[in-house]
Each structure stands twice: as C-alpha cells, then as structure tokens.
Amino acid sequence: MYGLTGFGLGAYAEYKCMKEKDSTYGCLALKPGNISFEAATVAAYGGLLAFQYMEKANIRRGQNVLIYGASGTTGTTAIQLAKYLGATVTGVCSTSNLAMVKSLGADAVIDYTKENTTDPGLQYDFILDAVGKNKTSKLKDACKRALAPGGKYISIDDGSLKLDSGRLALIKELVEAGHIKPVVDRCYPFEEIAEAHRYVEKGHKKGGVVVKVN
Ligand SMILES: NC(=O)c1ccc[n+]([C@@H]2O[C@H](COP(=O)([O-])OP(=O)(O)OC[C@H]3O[C@@H](n4cnc5c(N)ncnc54)[C@H](OP(=O)(O)O)[C@@H]3O)[C@@H](O)[C@H]2O)c1
C-alpha cells in the first residue's frame, strides 16, 4: 500500500494506524508495483497535489499549459500529467533544473532567474503556480499577464490538500503505465533527519525528498 497521512503533523514513526476509508487522517491505495516505496511516497504527495489542481483546469488536448515551479515535488508531477493530457507544456524553474524539467516532457522551459518576460506571442489556457504565493519573481508576474482570455490561473495555495484514495489509485495506473515517473531528489536515513529538514528548508528540492525509517 501507499498513502498520505495529511498534515496532522506529529512525530516520524515506523508504524501508523490508518483507517481503511479516506478520512482527514489519511488515504491509502495499492502502491504502484513498478517503483520503490521511496518513489511511491513522492508519487503520493506530489501526485495528489498535482492531480487535485490539474483536475480543476479540465485540460484538453492542444491547450497551452504553464507550470510555474516545475522542478518541485508537485511541479515535476504536474508537467508529466499535463503532457499525458495532451497539452503543450511550458515549465518554469531555475538554471540548474532546466534539463531535468525538459527530460520530464516539457515542450519549453523558462529560467525565472534569467528571464523577466514570457514569449509575447504565446498565451496560456492554464497556469499552475506549484510553488505557492510566498515565492515570486518578475517572471511570475509576467506569466499572470500571459493568461489567455477565459484561461485559468491556480495557485497551489488556493485550498487545502484533499486526501483521496481514488486519486491515489489513478496515480498508480499512470505510474505503472510509464506516464508519470516520480522524481526522488534525495533519500535520507532516519539518523540524518535533521539534515533532510535543513535541505528541504532551502526551498530548492528537485522532486521530492524522502526519509527512510527502517
Ligand atoms: N494546498 C496545500 O494543501 C499545500 C500542501 C503542501 C504544499 N503547498 C504549497 O506548495 C508549495 C510547494 O511545496 P513543495 O514541497 O512542492 O516545494 P518546495 O520545496 O517548497 O519548493 C521547491 C521548488 O520551488 C522552486 N522555487 C523556489 N523559489 C522559486 C521562485 N521564486 N520561483 C519559482 N520557483 C521557485 C524550486 O525550484 P528551483 O530550485 O528551480 O528554484 C523548487 O523546485 C509550498 O510552498 C506550499 O505553499 C500547498
């Protein structure tokens, strides 16, 4: 099984009792058979957030989609999901992540540390801000102005994470079919948990960071 316990906080633990049915305390589904447990944790967290916000967009084949923050846990999944849905996808990230975001299927990438504007001839039907409202740049403002008439702009901070085993089951299918590959940045042993937190708090993880409790 794989799943998510939500944002109940509390301690890291080796075992956790979970309800079989979805609740505010968590959701569970069968784990994708072709990936490790470490990768499955990234698929669950990034996947649930990406699916929840992308579903709101009702993306159709051929639409122009921009993912701002394409290299984080949600962004790396959102890029792949938008491609799977048939969109033409632009990813925004910093210089060191351009190649990784391209490798996930992005048709175009923009470096927010170097560019302040988007292509003037291009408008986006859907823009997902996958890094949240606290992280911004001149390029982010330019992206908002590049929204097509009738287009939708959603921030990952608009609403809270829904724990949904149905979505987890769908993520499993897409992972097993090879449409979505979870990106695991680093995997820390439990003994190095302080270091894991320090790394994540820098705010530049590539995909997800995992802590392994033996
Ligand atoms: N709605 C909810 O329930 C919910 C739940 C969880 C999280 N969130 C939101 O999701 C956000 C993202 O969380 P996360 O864990 O995926 O990622 P994170 O670790 O907070 O962010 C990682 C990514 O942010 C990018 N980034 C940092 N500053 C940026 C900037 N100014 N412009 C563009 N990209 C920037 C980094 O890319 P580069 O290294 O390429 O710069 C990195 O890939 C959180 O900050 C929070 O606001 C919402």
Side-chain angles (χ1 to χ4, degrees), residues 134-171:
N134 290 332
K135 292 175 181 171
T136 193
S137 65
K138 284 187 177 156
L139 184 74
K140 191 169 183 175
D141 296 332
C143 290
K144 289 177 187 167
R145 292 193 295 272
L147 197 62
K152 213 174 225 177
Y153 181 100
I154 300 182
S155 163
I156 194 168
D157 289 332
D158 292 333
S160 54
L161 172 68
K162 303 269 183 318
L163 299 170
D164 183 335
S165 54
R167 281 202 189 106
L168 278 181
L170 188 60
I171 295 163

Side-chain angles (χ1 to χ4, degrees), residues 12-144:
Y12 289 90
E14 191 167 359
Y15 296 105
K16 180 160 176 91
C17 284
M18 304 247 320
K19 288 189 177 177
E20 222 174 290
K21 286 187 178 164
D22 293 355
S23 74
T24 49
Y25 302 109
C27 59
L28 285 168
L30 284 178
K31 167 188 161 293
N34 58 336
I35 57 171
S36 65
F37 279 95
E38 289 83 351
T41 64
V42 174
Y45 173 67
L48 278 184
L49 277 168
F51 273 60
Q52 173 178 333
Y53 290 98
M54 305 288 283
E55 276 172 19
K56 287 188 185 180
N58 189 24
I59 292 166
R60 291 183 302 283
R61 193 157 286 281
Q63 285 190 319
N64 273 330
V65 168
L66 182 138
I67 310 295
Y68 185 88
S71 56
T73 318
T74 308
T76 48
T77 313
I79 288 275
Q80 297 178 80
L81 183 55
K83 279 308 293 177
Y84 169 71
L85 294 171
T88 301
V89 184
T90 300
V92 177
C93 58
S94 65
T95 317
S96 65
N97 291 323
L98 294 171
M100 188 259 290
V101 171
K102 267 239 148 197
S103 76
L104 296 175
D107 300 281
V109 283
I110 308 176
D111 184 344
Y112 73 88
T113 68
K114 297 215 169 114
E115 307 286 337
N116 289 339
T117 55
T118 59
D119 179 343
L122 203 53
Q123 290 191 310
Y124 297 97
D125 302 293
F126 176 59
I127 297 176
L128 175 67
D129 166 15
V131 297
K133 294 179 178 174
N134 290 332
K135 292 175 181 171
T136 193
S137 65
K138 284 187 177 156
L139 184 74
K140 191 169 183 175
D141 296 332
C143 290
K144 289 177 187 167

